[in-house]
Amino acid sequence: MEISRLRALRGPNLWSRHTAIEAVVTCAPDECCMASIQGFEARLRARFPQIGLLQLAGHAESVPLAHVLELAALGLQAQAGCPVTFSRTTATSDAGVFQVVIEYSEEEVGRRAFALALELCRAALADTPFDLVAALHELKELDEDVRLGPSTGAIVNAALARNIPYRRLTQGSLVQFGWGSAQRRIQAAETDRSSAIGEAIAQDKELTKKLLDAAGVAVPHGRPVSNADDAWDALCEIGAPVVVKPVDGNQGKGVTVNITSREQLNLAYAAAALISDEVLVEKFIPGSDFRFLVIGNHLVAAARREPPIVIGDGKHSVRELVEQVNSDPRRGSGHATSLTKIRLDDIALASLATQHFTVESVPEQGARVVLRNNANLSTGGTATDVTDDVHPEMVASAVAAAQMIGLDICGVDVVCDSVLMPLEKQGGGIVEVNAAPGLRMHLQPSFGKGRPVGEAIVANMFAPQQNGRIPLLTVAGTNGKTTTVRLIAHILTTQGLRVGMTNSDGVYIQGKRIDTGDCSGPKSARNVLMHPDVDAAVFETARGGVLREGLAFDRCDVAVVTNIGMGDHLGLNYISTVDDLAVVKRVVVQNVASTGVAVLNATDAMCVKMRDACPGSVIFFAQDKHHPVMATHRAQGSRVVYVDGGDIVVAQGKQEQRVALANIPITRNGTIGFQIDNAMAAIAATWAQGVAWDVICKGASSFVNDAQTAPGRFNFFDYHGANVIADYGHNPDAILALVPAIESIPANKRVVVISGAGDRRDEDIRRQTEILGDVFDEIILYQDQCQRGREEGEVLVLLQQGLVNAKRAKKIIEITGEFLAIDTALADLQAGDLCLVLIDQVDEALAHIAMRVVGK
């Protein structure tokens, strides 16, 4: 059994809405039936008992090892604690070759689980050892390393609950919520509105104290020190006990409290100096340590923090007691768990020494042994929720502190005896203000109830009716996608929106191309959704990107499917039939929002079938309003778009709106059928999006289909009185759509320039010239430099084979090179002739034609 290809499907895809790993797995003939491998299942279960059923009851078909690999890869993730449930194995058209798909929650974990599952299956085949414990430990460790920490994860989960999409921008905790101009960003518990100045102030503990003191907030007195001797002088000035901390530390690093002796001070100074060049000595305030979480102008959570301790039992040493505490599954070595393991470091040893203990001491029953004086969770402390008990004046002090420093999310550290009374009445004070505060103690306190702090942060970022989404329209199909996308984008621009658009020509932001080439895949779409100057997104969604990576978005407002035809890379990636292709194109329809709309071609049976897959509503379009699908749909009160009396009509029930085809330039007064279809699709999409009718009409009438606006989409040039048309038609269906348009244009002689893409099926290449040979008088065949895997001259042979029974073509020329072929055609044109150039290198070919036209 071998894996020949492994892909990460990072969005909704052909198989499911889950993120998934897709693999192409080849099984040897004897591996296509597990039952034929004697003892295999028993050996497999001995190595992985939790694998579950390999075949459902009542199913008699053979189980290939690819299916076993699927269940093993999914099962290993599940046993490692990953929330995954979906998997599937499908046989391809090639014997012994299967597509195996498993859901993942973290891509790296999914990939590694696949590799370990393959090792497991091979070990069961060869009857060799497989270390399940080590494999699961590796996956758990990897998952903990790469998944979002609890603070960021809580915010992400809260956003998802409000239907706000998110994208992780780094391997760390930088996350984007929403799309385009509606987006917001966080990094852990910091937002894009967190003041950089506020963060700098919070890092400077001395400056923080000065500002809070100026605001009338109770703070402990102290001063910065330059060395251990200066620290001792400060202690003597302030009076013991004191606290020593780095001026710009965080997470309790380098903080030592309740210092009364020179020996303690020297150790504390050394610990603080490791964290910062500047050290602060301040008065120690007796009492409990509290953390208040302020978001916006509200206190949303409060917790009492306890330092790491162990309780003696008269039997075990301090070291053994620490090991017992650290065995709690809630404790980990980082921030991924709700609690952190206690460390027996120099600070812990010093703390033990002040209590006359060592790590080998056996404390008596009930003795409370403190391992550290500061109470941060990151150093092994615990937390008890006290949110409901905080006195209103103490709340006001915490909010005032956050606002004085300038932080929208702020952790305020308070030391006092109780939260039930104001700070001033008990001699308490605010000892620190923290940017990017940890949320663990509030989400999963050691005692008391957790608080919805993730929800509070999201509510502070997005108003109640906001979900961070912008209008998102996507267009799929075999032909007409790019023109439809461009027209939709133009109409939305006419509405006053800043539009981001992707298509097979590039990426456009507000009409400016920022990337070139075929950008109809998910990577380009994600780049548009990340751009802050985009109010609406319009995507051409090609088959290749869906198969390769899935969609770039979780759901769309409008999905258009123009048509499903032959020749669109059939035979690649196990998409062998038009039915297979329809399943791929249907993915955009399946992921329409429940409030969204699918715009479907009523004359295409494959498109019509997609209506059942749409979670939202459907608009059908067709030139014939009497088409049975159209008539039935309208009779049911649903929306339709059709042609009537020289107008494009949008209708629902008895209500109609009209725009004359004569006012839509791309249709050339209604003479170009496929452009009418494209215009109907774009008008239907913007109608579905709620664009005002007058705006739709204005946009459709001002859209010009020239080489600058829609390159390679039926672009007209005048050359010595001959019509030259450049088009990117590249499959039989596209050429069939072009023929009626060509035949509607009077011409003394018709000439076509064509090549064939080498990665298409032989029959598709032949079919193109079969069609053209009955329509054109002269045919110029050219071979380009890139043959896409074909032998030299192979494409030309296939094109010639398509002309064997040509009814009209009398002159056939073979040329090497696209530009030379164009020049050859132009050189023989006379006024009144027509030349169709089916271009391959769109921008370069259009520039070449334009240069010839200008230089005529």
Side-chain angles (χ1 to χ4, degrees):
M1 183 166 55
E2 299 291 339
I3 297 176
S4 58
R5 187 189 71 204
L6 203 69
R7 284 175 171 168
L9 305 176
R10 301 183 177 96
N13 51 75
L14 180 65
W15 310 102
S16 74
R17 289 185 172 89
H18 304 292
T19 53
I21 299 292
E22 178 196 82
V24 175
V25 179
T26 303
C27 294
D30 62 336
E31 295 175 334
C32 290
C33 180
M34 179 188 69
S36 66
I37 306 174
Q38 189 171 6
F40 172 78
E41 183 172 356
R43 294 193 297 272
L44 179 72
R45 292 193 180 281
R47 288 158 178 78
F48 187 22
Q50 302 93 338
I51 194 168
L53 289 175
L54 300 181
Q55 186 173 38
L56 296 177
H59 290 256
E61 65 271 17
S62 60
V63 176
L65 289 198
H67 179 63
V68 177
L69 177 66
E70 166 212 330
L71 297 177
L74 186 73
L76 287 170
Q77 287 188 91
Q79 291 300 314
C82 301
V84 293
T85 57
F86 174 82
S87 65
R88 182 175 176 181
T89 297
T90 302
T92 70
S93 55
D94 296 339
V97 179
F98 301 85
Q99 288 175 290
V100 177
V101 183
I102 61 160
E103 181 185 358
Y104 70 78
S105 55
E106 297 296 337
E107 182 179 330
E108 289 183 52
V109 179
R111 289 180 179 275
R112 184 57 184 150
F114 237 115
L116 289 170
L118 185 61
E119 291 179 21
L120 169 63
C121 292
R122 287 175 173 169
L125 281 169
D127 198 11
T128 55
F130 177 79
D131 192 336
L132 178 63
V133 173
L136 293 179
H137 178 75
E138 180 185 352
L139 291 177
K140 287 177 182 178
E141 290 288 310
L142 180 59
D143 183 59
E144 183 174 313
D145 286 344
V146 300
R147 75 171 186 258
L148 291 170
S151 296
T152 311
I155 303 170
V156 167
N157 290 335
L160 291 174
R162 282 189 48 179
N163 192 30
I164 298 170
Y166 84 98
R167 178 185 176 189
R168 197 168 173 179
L169 299 179
T170 66
Q171 289 297 309
S173 54
L174 182 60
V175 176
Q176 173 182 316
F177 293 119
W179 298 327
S181 59
Q183 70 178 277
R184 297 290 306 276
R185 292 177 182 173
I186 65 165
Q187 181 154 319
E190 291 179 291
T191 77
D192 48 15
R193 305 286 170 84
S194 295
S195 164
I197 293 175
E199 292 180 10
I201 292 171
Q203 286 286 317
D204 188 332
K205 293 179 174 30
E206 177 64 12
L207 177 58
T208 297
K209 284 203 310 176
K210 288 180 180 178
L211 291 175
L212 295 183
D213 188 48
V217 177
V219 295
H221 296 291
R223 68 173 176 85
V225 296
S226 56
N227 53 50
D229 290 336
D230 192 21
W232 177 248
D233 292 341
L235 181 149
C236 294
E237 296 164 11
I238 298 167
V242 297
V243 176
V244 176
K245 62 176 73 173
V247 167
D248 55 358
N250 56 47
Q251 296 181 347
K253 297 173 182 175
V255 178
T256 310
V257 302
N258 199 16
I259 298 168
T260 57
S261 69
R262 180 66 187 256
E263 182 182 3
Q264 291 174 336
L265 184 75
N266 289 342
L267 288 173
Y269 183 87
L274 288 174
I275 304 301
S276 172
D277 292 334
E278 296 183 85
V279 176
L280 182 67
V281 176
E282 63 185 24
K283 183 67 178 177
F284 171 70
I285 301 175
S288 296
D289 185 313
F290 295 92
R291 164 62 65 86
F292 292 175
L293 180 65
V294 177
I295 298 174
N297 58 356
H298 299 285
L299 176 74
V300 300
R304 182 178 67 249
R305 300 186 296 182
E306 298 287 349
I309 64 169
V310 293
I311 305 298
D313 61 2
K315 299 177 182 178
H316 296 90
S317 68
V318 171
R319 186 190 304 278
E320 291 169 334
L321 292 171
V322 169
E323 290 174 355
Q324 289 177 9
V325 172
N326 284 343
S327 66
D328 184 340
R330 295 178 299 168
R331 291 188 181 269
S333 56
H335 292 273
T337 50
S338 59
L339 294 171
T340 303
K341 290 183 177 181
I342 299 172
R343 298 193 301 271
L344 288 174
D345 55 12
D346 289 343
I347 294 176
L349 296 178
S351 179
L352 287 172
T354 63
Q355 303 165 76
H356 307 292
F357 288 123
T358 69
V359 292
E360 304 305 331
S361 300
V362 179
E364 64 184 32
Q365 178 77 29
R368 178 184 169 96
V369 181
V370 179
L371 278 306
R372 211 177 198 88
N373 286 325
N374 69 300
N376 295 70
L377 261 67
S378 58
T379 55
T382 59
T384 300
D385 179 73
V386 296
T387 306
D388 295 332
D389 302 327
V390 183
H391 191 279
E393 289 188 27
M394 194 174 285
V395 171
S397 294
V399 172
Q403 293 180 340
M404 187 65 181
I405 302 305
L407 295 172
D408 59 337
I409 302 177
C410 181
V412 180
D413 290 344
V414 176
V415 176
C416 60
D417 291 332
S418 170
V419 295
L420 297 173
M421 63 182 73
L423 287 174
E424 294 79 2
K425 289 187 177 181
Q426 54 182 315
I430 293 178
V431 298
E432 212 165 288
V433 173
N434 300 272
L439 306 182
R440 287 191 299 166
M441 71 186 76
H442 307 301
L443 293 166
Q444 297 176 308
S446 312
F447 309 98
K449 61 184 178 181
R451 299 290 170 170
V453 294
E455 289 80 352
I457 291 173
V458 171
N460 194 54
M461 297 169 68
F462 295 95
Q465 302 305 315
Q466 294 179 338
N467 60 12
R469 296 177 184 269
I470 59 176
L472 194 159
L473 300 84
T474 185
V475 181
T478 299
N479 296 305
K481 298 188 295 293
T482 302
T483 299
T484 302
V485 161
R486 285 183 173 276
L487 180 49
I488 291 171
H490 182 76
I491 293 172
L492 293 177
T493 300
T494 305
Q495 189 184 17
L497 299 177
R498 297 173 295 173
V499 179
M501 172 180 66
T502 66
N503 57 39
S504 54
D505 302 324
V507 176
Y508 297 78
I509 304 294
Q510 298 183 59
K512 180 181 179 181
R513 184 156 68 175
I514 65 169
D515 198 1
T516 59
D518 188 345
C519 296
S520 56
K523 179 180 178 181
S524 298
R526 282 194 294 268
N527 289 343
V528 167
L529 294 176
M530 191 166 57
H531 202 290
D533 297 329
V534 171
D535 301 324
V538 187
F539 298 143
E540 179 177 338
T541 301
R543 164 211 59 86
V546 175
L547 291 173
R548 186 172 58 251
E549 199 176 338
L551 298 178
F553 47 85
D554 60 340
R555 60 181 64 90
C556 58
D557 296 298
V558 179
V560 180
V561 183
T562 57
N563 45 62
I564 305 295
M566 295 185 298
D568 195 350
H569 298 281
L570 291 180
L572 300 176
N573 295 303
Y574 303 107
I575 304 301
S576 304
T577 68
V578 176
D579 285 340
D580 294 339
L581 184 61
V583 172
V584 179
K585 304 290 186 182
R586 189 180 65 196
V587 171
V588 295
V589 176
Q590 291 172 321
N591 290 282
V592 168
S594 59
T595 56
V597 181
V599 175
L600 305 174
N601 187 338
T603 65
D604 189 306
M606 296 290 184
C607 289
V608 173
K609 290 180 181 178
M610 294 182 189
R611 64 181 165 189
D612 296 330
C614 181
S617 59
V618 171
I619 297 176
F620 278 118
F621 69 92
Q623 295 189 36
D624 180 10
K625 70 176 181 179
H626 299 297
H627 188 285
V629 172
M630 297 284 287
T632 301
H633 200 60
R634 186 175 186 183
Q636 293 170 341
S638 298
R639 293 187 281 181
V640 293
V641 179
Y642 56 87
V643 175
D644 180 57
D647 298 332
I648 288 181
V649 182
V650 302
Q652 183 173 22
K654 295 182 179 181
Q655 296 182 339
E656 294 183 353
Q657 301 269 23
R658 291 174 176 262
V659 57
L661 286 168
N663 292 334
I664 304 177
I666 65 169
T667 70
R668 296 184 73 86
N669 282 319
T671 61
I672 305 178
F674 67 87
Q675 294 288 42
I676 296 173
D677 287 344
N678 294 337
M680 286 192 297
I683 288 170
T686 48
W687 183 34
Q689 189 55 42
V691 180
W693 183 247
D694 61 329
V695 174
I696 293 175
C697 294
K698 183 178 179 181
S701 63
S702 58
F703 180 73
V704 180
N705 190 51
D706 58 18
Q708 287 70 45
T709 305
R713 271 67 194 179
F714 216 70
N715 305 139
F716 270 80
F717 299 87
D718 181 283
Y719 184 77
H720 293 298
N723 283 318
V724 177
I725 302 169
D727 194 270
Y728 184 57
H730 56 284
N731 59 58
D733 286 298
I735 291 173
L736 280 171
L738 286 169
V739 166
I742 295 297
E743 292 181 328
S744 71
I745 303 172
N748 298 327
K749 178 180 68 174
R750 296 180 189 149
V751 181
V752 65
V753 179
I754 182 176
S755 186
D759 59 354
R760 305 301 167 90
R761 299 180 304 174
D762 291 358
E763 56 264 41
D764 295 326
I765 297 174
R766 292 191 201 97
R767 180 61 181 146
Q768 292 180 78
T769 45
E770 285 176 3
I771 298 165
L772 296 171
D774 294 342
V775 179
F776 288 86
D777 302 294
E778 295 182 10
I779 298 181
I780 299 176
L781 309 175
Y782 71 89
Q783 175 179 286
D784 213 346
Q785 292 179 347
C786 179
Q787 292 298 294
R788 304 187 190 184
R790 297 277 186 173
E791 295 294 329
E792 183 78 15
E794 187 179 353
V795 169
L796 291 177
V797 169
L798 292 169
L799 292 170
Q800 286 279 16
Q801 289 173 358
L803 293 167
V804 170
N805 298 313
K807 296 177 182 178
R808 179 162 178 166
K810 304 301 180 187
K811 184 177 180 181
I812 301 169
I813 302 173
E814 289 188 5
I815 300 288
T816 298
E818 184 174 9
F819 296 163
L820 181 57
I822 293 171
D823 291 343
T824 302
L826 296 180
D828 197 35
L829 289 180
Q830 302 295 322
D833 290 346
L834 182 150
C835 177
L836 172 65
V837 182
L838 295 171
I839 55 180
D840 182 38
Q841 304 174 70
V842 176
D843 291 341
E844 295 84 352
L846 288 174
H848 185 81
I849 294 171
M851 183 176 63
R852 292 291 182 266
V853 168
V854 171
K856 63 186 179 182

